[in-house]
C-alpha cells in the first residue's frame, strides 16, 4: 500500500484522512501553519505548473503527486518535508530555470526570513 502512512494516520487523526477535492482547499485556507509552509507550497505549485510543458512526463507526475499528497490530507504541516525529497520537482526545476524566477524566489525568501526573525524575537517560535 503506497499510501499506508496516510491510511494509518486517518485511523488515529480524523484531520489527516485523504480528501481529494476538499483537502487542498482546506489546507491552503486553514492558516494554521507558519508562512514558510505557504512559501514552499506556492513555489512548488508554480514549479509544477511550469514543468507541465518543460519536463518529462515521469518527472512532472512524480512532482505533482508529492505536491498533492500532503495537500490531500487537508493540512500543510508536512509540506516542507515532502518537498525536500521531491526529486521530480528538483529535476523539473532545473529544466525550467529562469533568472527572473530565481530572483523573485530569493527576494521572497529574504522577506520571509525577516518575518520569521521578527516573530522569533517577539517570542513566537516556529510552529
Amino acid at each position: 500500500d503506497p499510501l499506508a502512512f496516510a491510511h494509518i494516520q486517518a485511523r488515529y487523526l480524523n484531520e489527516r484522512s485523504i480528501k481529494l477535492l476538499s483537502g487542498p482547499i482546506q489546507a491552503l485556507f486553514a492558516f494554521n501553519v507558519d508562512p514558510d509552509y505557504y512559501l514552499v507550497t506556492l513555489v512548488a505549485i508554480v514549479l509544477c505548473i511550469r514543468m507541465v510543458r518543460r519536463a518529462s512526463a515521469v518527472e512532472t507526475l512524480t512532482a505533482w503527486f508529492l505536491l498533492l499528497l500532503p495537500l490531500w490530507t487537508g493540512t500543510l504541516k508536512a509540506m516542507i518535508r515532502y518537498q525536500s525529497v521531491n526529486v521530480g520537482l528538483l529535476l523539473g526545476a532545473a529544466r525550467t530555470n529562469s533568472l527572473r524566477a530565481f530572483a523573485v524566489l530569493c527576494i521572497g525568501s529574504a522577506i520571509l526570513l525577516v518575518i520569521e526573525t521578527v516573530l522569533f524575537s517577539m517570542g513566537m517560535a516556529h510552529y
Side-chain angles (χ1 to χ4, degrees):
D1 182 9
L3 300 175
F5 185 71
H7 292 151
I8 291 168
Q9 279 189 325
R11 286 187 73 181
Y12 298 102
L13 302 169
N14 290 333
E15 71 214 36
R16 288 284 179 107
S17 61
I18 292 179
K19 302 172 233 78
L20 293 178
L21 297 177
S22 64
I25 294 169
Q26 179 183 348
L28 290 172
F29 294 105
F31 300 111
N32 60 354
V33 292
D34 286 337
D36 53 345
Y37 289 87
Y38 285 97
L39 178 66
V40 168
T41 303
L42 294 177
V43 168
I45 289 171
V46 168
L47 284 173
C48 281
I49 290 170
R50 289 179 58 118
M51 284 176 61
V52 170
R53 293 176 51 189
R54 294 183 174 99
S56 72
V58 172
E59 292 168 356
T60 304
L61 290 174
T62 58
W64 274 104
F65 179 75
L66 285 176
L67 170 66
L68 291 173
L69 187 59
L71 287 174
W72 284 330
T73 63
T75 182
L76 296 179
K77 290 181 183 177
M79 183 59 73
I80 293 174
R81 290 189 300 271
Y82 274 91
Q83 299 320 307
S84 67
V85 296
N86 193 342
V87 176
L89 185 66
L90 296 174
L91 292 172
R95 297 191 199 289
T96 61
N97 58 356
S98 166
L99 186 58
R100 183 170 181 244
F102 183 70
V104 168
L105 180 61
C106 287
I107 291 169
S109 296
I111 291 170
L112 181 62
L113 182 62
V114 169
I115 291 170
E116 291 288 334
T117 303
V118 170
L119 289 174
F120 187 77
S121 68
M122 293 171 52
M124 296 180 219
H126 192 272
Y127 174 63

